[in-house]
Amino acid sequence: MEFSNDEQRTALIDFASPQLVKIALNQHGTRALQKMIEFISTPQQTQTVIAALQRDVVELVQDLNGNHVIQKCLNRLSPEDAEFIYEAVGGNCVVVGTHRHGCCVLQRCIDHASGQQKARLISQITSNSFTLIQDPFGNYVVQYILDLAEPQFTNPLCQTFGGNIPQLSKQKFSSNVIEKCLRTADNYMKRQMIDEILRGSELEKMLRDSFANYVVQTAMDFCDAETRNRIVEAVRPILPSIRQTPHGRRIAGKIMAADTTASRSSNSSTATSGHVTPNEMEHSAQIPKTLLQKPFMYQQSGQSSGIHSPTSSSGYSSQTYVPHSSQSSVSNTPSGHSESSSVYSAPSSQPPVNLGSQSQLFTYI
């Protein structure tokens, strides 16, 4: 097949065609047939292979060796030429999807189908999804569609489970699908599903169930804030009775984390709202308004500050007064910083220092 020309390949395929299904089911023949399909080079050869296989697609899909031949056809044939596969698996999606090998082939069909073929195939799977999600293999096919994250497929699929969310949440395989729905559906669909969970006494039963409690946790993690608060408030009265169970402790931890986040958010909004506490008002009233607006430094007059003090002839001293309180702050100046860069703090009301005939001068920068 690899080194022959088109005419020779056609002869080989024609001779083998009556036995292609038997060859596909054989552990050695399956590899030879896959090589034959890989090197098909003319429309005539393609049609010969299709005619030989199309009546036995479901049998081949379910076989350990034959399913690889069908997957090779999906890889090498065009979507139009592979239409016989989509028709067979779509019309038998429950039989195929609930099989160990068939569920893998069904996922590969979703990958390789064209737009209309894909939509038709997913529609057929959706119609049978209630059965598929309760199967150990079929549930993976439904999850695969949800993982596509395409709303035109996700929402109709989730709707098929409506009215059965608590029931499906308590089963091993379908609970995984319900969790996936809560992760991938839009907010409207999530709220509909959560409404079922919160209805009547279903929530308490789900919290006590070894599978359904994970559905509740997933709902808390992936819903909007308002819906999460509804779940939390509904769970609180039930929490003491399940706190000693492993999943009860996890749910209690989630609620505690949610309360902590809400508390921090509330404190943050209060801090940024512009309101001042009485202590802050009292403290700010003790500081002169000019100092609150802009810090200033003080220097010796006449030292390259650009500000000239009055001369001694007008009765002022050329020396700047340094208050006692600021001297203590200068001594704590971190290394590497200039002493003159420290912010001035308001002096306490003390009597002026007697400097003889000289008065005091502050230079503000």
Side-chain angles (χ1 to χ4, degrees):
M1 294 301 302
E2 186 173 353
F3 295 101
S4 57
N5 57 35
D6 289 346
E7 183 178 353
Q8 292 167 333
R9 288 195 194 98
T10 300
L12 288 170
I13 293 172
D14 288 342
F15 285 132
S17 61
Q19 302 294 323
L20 284 189
V21 173
K22 185 177 180 180
I23 293 171
L25 298 174
N26 182 269
Q27 62 176 336
H28 306 298
T30 182
R31 298 182 181 276
L33 184 50
Q34 288 176 61
K35 181 68 71 172
M36 178 182 289
I37 295 169
E38 188 175 342
F39 285 96
I40 284 176
S41 56
T42 68
Q44 179 185 351
Q45 296 168 9
T46 301
Q47 292 305 314
T48 301
V49 171
I50 292 173
L53 300 178
Q54 63 183 356
R55 291 184 298 273
D56 299 281
V57 170
V58 174
E59 180 186 358
L60 292 169
V61 162
Q62 294 178 309
D63 185 75
L64 175 63
N65 301 309
N67 81 88
H68 295 291
V69 171
I70 297 300
Q71 292 192 55
K72 179 63 74 171
C73 289
L74 291 171
N75 286 325
R76 301 297 298 180
L77 302 182
S78 66
E80 294 74 22
D81 289 333
E83 175 66 23
F84 74 101
I85 299 176
Y86 301 123
E87 288 183 356
V89 299
N92 299 274
C93 61
V94 174
V95 174
V96 173
T98 56
H99 190 272
R100 179 184 301 274
H101 306 305
C103 69
C104 298
V105 175
L106 197 48
Q107 293 176 49
R108 299 293 76 76
C109 287
I110 295 171
D111 289 338
H112 292 285
S114 63
Q116 291 184 351
Q117 290 171 330
K118 184 176 182 179
R120 185 174 68 251
L121 181 58
I122 290 178
S123 176
Q124 291 169 317
I125 294 171
T126 300
S127 300
N128 296 277
S129 58
F130 189 82
T131 301
L132 288 170
I133 67 171
Q134 298 178 69
D135 183 80
F137 303 112
N139 79 92
Y140 291 111
V141 176
V142 179
Q143 288 192 60
Y144 195 78
I145 296 174
L146 293 170
D147 282 330
L148 297 176
E150 298 184 27
Q152 69 268 30
F153 302 138
T154 301
N155 288 344
L157 198 53
C158 294
Q159 287 174 350
T160 62
F161 310 135
N164 297 283
I165 301 300
Q167 171 192 343
L168 295 172
S169 299
K170 297 170 189 173
Q171 299 180 32
K172 180 177 181 180
F173 305 114
S174 55
S175 65
N176 293 325
V177 179
I178 300 302
E179 285 188 60
K180 186 65 67 73
C181 288
L182 290 168
R183 290 188 178 95
T184 58
D186 59 27
N187 286 332
Y188 176 76
M189 183 57 61
K190 289 177 185 178
R191 284 192 290 268
Q192 283 190 325
M193 297 176 69
I194 292 171
D195 285 343
E196 283 194 47
I197 295 174
L198 299 180
R199 191 176 300 154
S201 60
E202 290 296 344
L203 179 61
E204 183 171 359
K205 295 176 184 177
M206 292 179 65
L207 288 173
R208 296 179 183 278
D209 187 83
S210 57
F211 300 118
N213 79 87
Y214 290 104
V215 175
V216 177
Q217 294 182 58
T218 302
M220 293 174 65
D221 291 338
F222 289 90
C223 65
D224 59 87
E226 180 181 351
T227 306
R228 183 182 299 110
N229 290 335
R230 288 176 55 206
I231 299 174
V232 169
E233 294 308 315
V235 169
R236 285 189 197 278
I238 309 170
L239 201 56
S241 62
I242 63 170
R243 192 182 293 273
Q244 300 307 315
T245 64
H247 50 269
R249 287 193 289 269
R250 283 193 294 270
I251 293 171
K254 287 181 182 292
I255 293 178
M256 186 178 298
D259 290 343
T260 302
T261 302
S263 176
R264 288 177 180 174
S265 177
S266 176
N267 293 337
S268 176
S269 62
T270 302
T272 58
S273 62
H275 297 295
V276 184
T277 64
N279 290 337
E280 292 172 334
M281 293 177 64
E282 181 182 355
H283 176 70
S284 62
Q286 297 175 358
I287 303 176
K289 185 176 181 180
T290 55
L291 299 184
L292 288 173
Q293 293 175 345
K294 182 179 180 181
F296 61 85
M297 298 178 292
Y298 49 90
Q299 292 182 348
Q300 293 283 345
S301 297
Q303 290 184 352
S304 65
S305 62
I307 300 178
H308 301 282
S309 62
T311 60
S312 56
S313 60
S314 58
Y316 291 96
S317 169
S318 62
Q319 183 177 4
T320 302
Y321 169 67
V322 180
H324 178 73
S325 61
S326 66
Q327 290 175 348
S328 63
S329 66
V330 170
S331 64
N332 294 325
T333 302
S335 60
H337 295 275
S338 171
E339 290 182 351
S340 62
S341 65
S342 59
V343 177
Y344 175 76
S345 60
S348 59
S349 57
Q350 297 178 353
V353 178
N354 184 7
L355 298 178
S357 61
Q358 297 177 338
S359 299
Q360 305 161 5
L361 170 66
F362 287 90
T363 303
Y364 297 88
I365 300 176

